[in-house]
Amino acid sequence: MFVRPSLTSIIRNTTQPIRAMSTIKAHSIVYNNYGEPLEQLKAHSYDINLDSLKPDDILVQTVACPINPSDINQIQGVYPSRPEISIDALPNLESPAAPTGNEGLFKVVATGSNVTGFEKGDWCIPAGVNFGTWTTHKVTKDKNLLKMPKTISKTQAATIAVNPSSAYQMLTQFVKLQPGDWFIQNGANSQVGRAAIQIGKKLGFKSLNIVRNRDNLDELVKELESLGATKVITEDDNESKDYGKVIKQLLNGQEIKLGLNCVGGPSATGLARKLGNDATMLTYGAMSMKPVSLPTGLFIFKNLTAKGFWITGNIKRHPETRLETINAVIKLMEDGDLVDAKYNETQINPNEVSNEEFLQSFLNAIQNSKKGKQLVVFE
Amino acid sequence: MFVRPSLTSIIRNTTQPIRAMSTIKAHSIVYNNYGEPLEQLKAHSYDINLDSLKPDDILVQTVACPINPSDINQIQGVYPSRPEISIDALPNLESPAAPTGNEGLFKVVATGSNVTGFEKGDWCIPAGVNFGTWTTHKVTKDKNLLKMPKTISKTQAATIAVNPSSAYQMLTQFVKLQPGDWFIQNGANSQVGRAAIQIGKKLGFKSLNIVRNRDNLDELVKELESLGATKVITEDDNESKDYGKVIKQLLNGQEIKLGLNCVGGPSATGLARKLGNDATMLTYGAMSMKPVSLPTGLFIFKNLTAKGFWITGNIKRHPETRLETINAVIKLMEDGDLVDAKYNETQINPNEVSNEEFLQSFLNAIQNSKKGKQLVVFE
């Protein structure tokens, strides 16, 4: 096994006083083997020598990164798009490891002599997947970054690539909805669901939104309506046959041409029953962990199309849509049509944190993910 | 309720000796209410006066008609495309009724003075649905008929519109398969399945065919292989996880891009698991009576598309493909690429049969449908 010479050890062998000025200690969350994050994750630290930046290099510092379900699934090894577990994944590794985290906002700390598109202080997000965003700093190439305007919030920029981009692509790339047309979705209070409500409203679409029953249902309904939801119903309504008449009256002769499913099981079946002729149901998640089950009559006599949606796969097939989507979502955010998503924030001081504290912050955030969306903020 | 004057009674009031020459007694199977065919079907007879043909009329006599599952479902009232139950459905009805049967071969007996496209003795099939093919004779317009060549067999012509046409459209209209590409299907020994094997072979496609296990499995496998099946496996194989390796070896790096499902339930799930990335599964039947159940991972990570296929709906959306399909299938039949489908034949003498005998022949054929495909032949 080839182990690259440690930058740290090289630097420690010098006696030049410049070290404190020109090196930055980077901390990154990594794993050596697939498994449960709480067992597998480690913090790895290494020094970045500012003077050693190559002409095309950019050194970035993380501003904020979310904990997404797909990050967890990557660590578990059950997600098809995964970073390689490699000795070259990060500097100074002692054994092959994979970087964690796919989404996040960065700010430029330093640029190599050839870099023209980015300046110190610029905001940027990863251009591709498997960037390893759960880190304090990273040296990368300019082609791996997309610049972000500072006209949107830190949270918006840090979480633009997955949830609102998914909602935008699902609403615009599969069925040609016209203003006044309906779409239906379950998991409507998820981040994708909330983005779909708002983007749909801006595009003139009416939304029929399914949420689980809960104690504070009225509050949630009001909140989603304030975002632009045309109608919010519960899963009990969705799965009830009697409720079909209420929906029919609501639609007033219109047919629902698009459904967004992130739940599966009976919820997806109920959603599909409300679709009209020639409709498309996109499945982008499986919160219930149950398969999508559709009666053959729906497929045949309604000419239903059931497709998967996965933003990583979709961008791989249609790379040109990545930037179009990001730009469209930025515009919606700038215009105030997409409010800040709600995240629980964990603060980290990227320049003072110890390896142990850094790891613990992420482990806490992962554990708290069950209670709500988590964002790790570096400041 | 308006009852049209009976042609029979008008004719009976005359004393002209020409009656025996110029009238034909037509028998048609009808129903007044939706329900089980054995309880609801009736035979209705009426006289057709040859001298009363209008200029655009064509009088046809049935040559052969199949009993299709969709005919049964129409009578049960559970099929979305249905003939109207109307007093005008046939001459001389005493109460509103619907004609039965959608597929069949006819020969022209007489033509009105304006008809130029058809001659006495020509073969033809209904141009549309709900023609009422379970009849001895019918007066219709030339636009309601498509001429058939006599270069194909009577059975082929009588059953061209549903099964081989469905197989042809499913193999050619949804996924652009290239010679050497694989498709997979369950219910492979159905008439659609057998047609798909042969059409697929002619188009250069390899087929992975799933059939139910049975005592004479070897015999069936040999038969389907003789039709051109590349590989035949059982439902036990299809639903077994271990068998996946055998399939992988068989495919030798190729991916299956198209699946045809007429079974549903675990069979459809097993079929979908064998599909490759970006594949499409068409569902055209539900022999198991179970819904199509697909894990979300297949949808998302394989970018699976699951669609319905219903030839009636497909032709309604793309009317131009009806004739193209029929002509392509005729060519395959003429070239010997599609062998005669196996039907159990019931003979009827259309000119000697009584109303009771006519009804009983169809009731027997319906009851025998469980044992095999039934064709009622008029000769």
Side-chain angles (χ1 to χ4, degrees), chain B residues 155-173:
Chain B
T155 308
Q156 287 176 322
T159 61
I160 197 171
V162 177
N163 292 333
S165 291
S166 291
Y168 185 83
Q169 294 199 345
M170 287 194 285
L171 286 177
T172 59
Q173 292 189 0

Side-chain angles (χ1 to χ4, degrees), chain A residues 218-263:
Chain A
D218 285 353
E219 201 181 308
L220 177 63
V221 170
K222 273 182 198 149
E223 193 193 338
L224 297 184
E225 284 175 351
S226 77
L227 293 178
T230 316
K231 177 79 181 171
V232 182
I233 66 171
T234 65
E235 279 294 1
D236 298 337
D237 299 333
N238 178 39
E239 292 170 28
S240 140
K241 286 197 175 170
D242 296 340
Y243 205 79
K245 290 173 201 157
V246 182
I247 300 291
K248 214 168 173 175
Q249 211 162 15
L250 178 73
L251 294 177
N252 194 22
Q254 284 186 272
E255 285 195 334
I256 306 179
K257 296 291 186 199
L258 177 66
L260 313 182
N261 163 48
C262 65
V263 180

